[in-house]
Amino acid sequence: MPATAQVMNDTLMEVEHTPPVHKRVLDILPGVSGGVARIMVGQPFDTIKTRLQVLGRGTIGAAGMPPEMVYSSGVDCVRKMMKSEGPTSLYRGTVAPLLGNMVLLGIHFPTFTKTRAFLERDSAPGSFSPSSILLAGAAAGAAGSVVSTPTELIRTKMQMVRKNNILAQMKGAAVGGLNPEENYKGNWDCAKKILRNHGLRGIYSGYLATLLRDMQGYAWFFFGYEATVHYLAGPGKTKADLDYMQVMIAGVMAGFGLWGSMFPIDTIKSKIQADSLSKPEFKGTLDCLSRSLSVEGHAGLWRGVTAALWRAIPVNAAIFLAVEGTRELIAESEDSVDAFMAKLQGKEQGSSPAAM
């Protein structure tokens, strides 16, 4: 990676001629590009993961559902979805998380960078502190959970529309069929109906589980990345010395750290957010955990983890490739502007009376 990327190691673009508002934009831009990469690459994997968590064979949600809506594996899930719902079903509910993740990673990366800088303010430059990285990652996850909860709720609701409609038909066919409150036509319709019928409490359904998940997950997400970068770079070097393949490898390790540490909590989060808001089956996070363990056992908390880990490989490689690539482009553009400004100042001094 070119040396111009070195400027990105501590904080983004502290350049004198850049106005403060522009610095903030440049600070979040790499995270925004990573958010786009995450959703466009990872949405099909996330759809499969969520369906297995909620409608996998032996789960509470699968009880009473027709066979075509109960999945025994990731491959079985894809096969049944393609047959009954078509290939676009893998991208159902994409708009909300796409917009949300552009904001989300625009929060995660600056929060991590600035929190880590604060925690390591008295440390030697280039030092590697596992505790600081874990704490900064947890802070980034906590900050992002405010955005991730409603966006993931909408995505989960859209992924479960067909299930809810089938249940409504099975339970209420005699009184008119589908439940209009949970029969969402799209992302915006879903958000409006939830806010209208259940308010902010409804749109933040599953917040506690999401908060705990994100604090733990992003602590190990950033630790996985920074630890791998530290190892690959070697003594006396930084991430600026890595090539793009090494950055992608570090990104994959970040993804493994994320999903490997938080998957059971994510399963509970998915179950709560897939639950009906008008007639919920679970009373809260602890009730969902207790009932899931009693019915499905500990193995049930890990249902869908294979899809999540496969997802981590292309998604997190793409995230960090997009993030570091964007940082490098910003650094190079700033260097070009610096050179232009220096040249312009030289011309102005050369044409001044004092220079004549």
Side-chain angles (χ1 to χ4, degrees), residues 287-345:
D287 179 59
C288 181
L289 174 62
S290 175
R291 292 186 58 193
S292 296
L293 287 173
S294 65
V295 174
E296 306 169 32
H298 286 88
L301 297 178
W302 293 92
R303 186 173 280 107
V305 69
T306 302
L309 292 177
W310 277 111
R311 174 189 188 273
I313 297 174
V315 169
N316 291 282
I319 286 174
F320 282 96
L321 188 61
V323 168
E324 298 296 348
T326 304
R327 286 177 171 176
E328 184 178 321
L329 288 174
I330 292 171
E332 290 177 349
S333 67
E334 288 289 347
D335 286 344
S336 299
V337 172
D338 283 342
F340 174 77
M341 294 297 290
K343 186 176 181 181
L344 185 62
Q345 287 176 349

Side-chain angles (χ1 to χ4, degrees), residues 85-247:
E85 303 172 58
T88 58
S89 62
L90 293 172
Y91 276 92
R92 183 169 292 131
T94 299
V95 174
L98 177 61
L99 297 177
N101 272 271
M102 290 170 66
V103 176
L104 190 59
L105 291 190
I107 293 172
H108 282 155
F109 281 89
T111 301
F112 171 78
T113 299
K114 294 182 185 302
T115 305
R116 182 184 181 186
F118 174 78
L119 293 172
E120 297 180 352
R121 62 193 181 280
D122 298 324
S123 302
S127 62
F128 180 77
S129 171
S131 60
S132 295
I133 293 170
L134 289 168
L135 286 171
S145 65
V146 178
V147 176
S148 62
T149 301
T151 56
E152 292 193 21
L153 174 72
I154 294 170
R155 173 168 61 185
T156 302
K157 292 298 186 188
M158 291 304 302
Q159 290 170 346
M160 295 293 122
V161 162
R162 189 163 180 266
K163 172 215 171 189
N164 290 335
N165 286 345
I166 289 174
L167 282 176
Q169 287 178 314
M170 292 170 63
K171 295 179 180 179
V175 292
L178 303 182
N179 179 0
E181 183 181 320
E182 297 183 349
N183 185 31
Y184 310 117
K185 299 175 182 178
N187 290 271
W188 306 122
D189 181 58
C190 178
K192 286 189 295 184
K193 284 181 177 178
I194 292 174
L195 284 169
R196 182 174 66 242
N197 294 311
H198 304 283
L200 285 175
R201 184 174 181 178
I203 206 71
Y204 273 90
S205 176
Y207 176 70
L208 177 59
T210 305
L211 175 65
L212 296 174
R213 180 202 69 168
D214 286 0
M215 288 183 68
Q216 178 163 305
Y218 281 97
W220 291 100
F221 175 79
F222 283 106
F223 180 82
Y225 180 72
E226 294 294 337
T228 306
V229 165
H230 183 72
Y231 173 78
L232 292 176
K237 295 184 180 180
T238 68
K239 69 177 70 173
D241 299 300
L242 301 182
D243 58 36
Y244 286 121
M245 181 57 68
Q246 290 173 314
V247 169

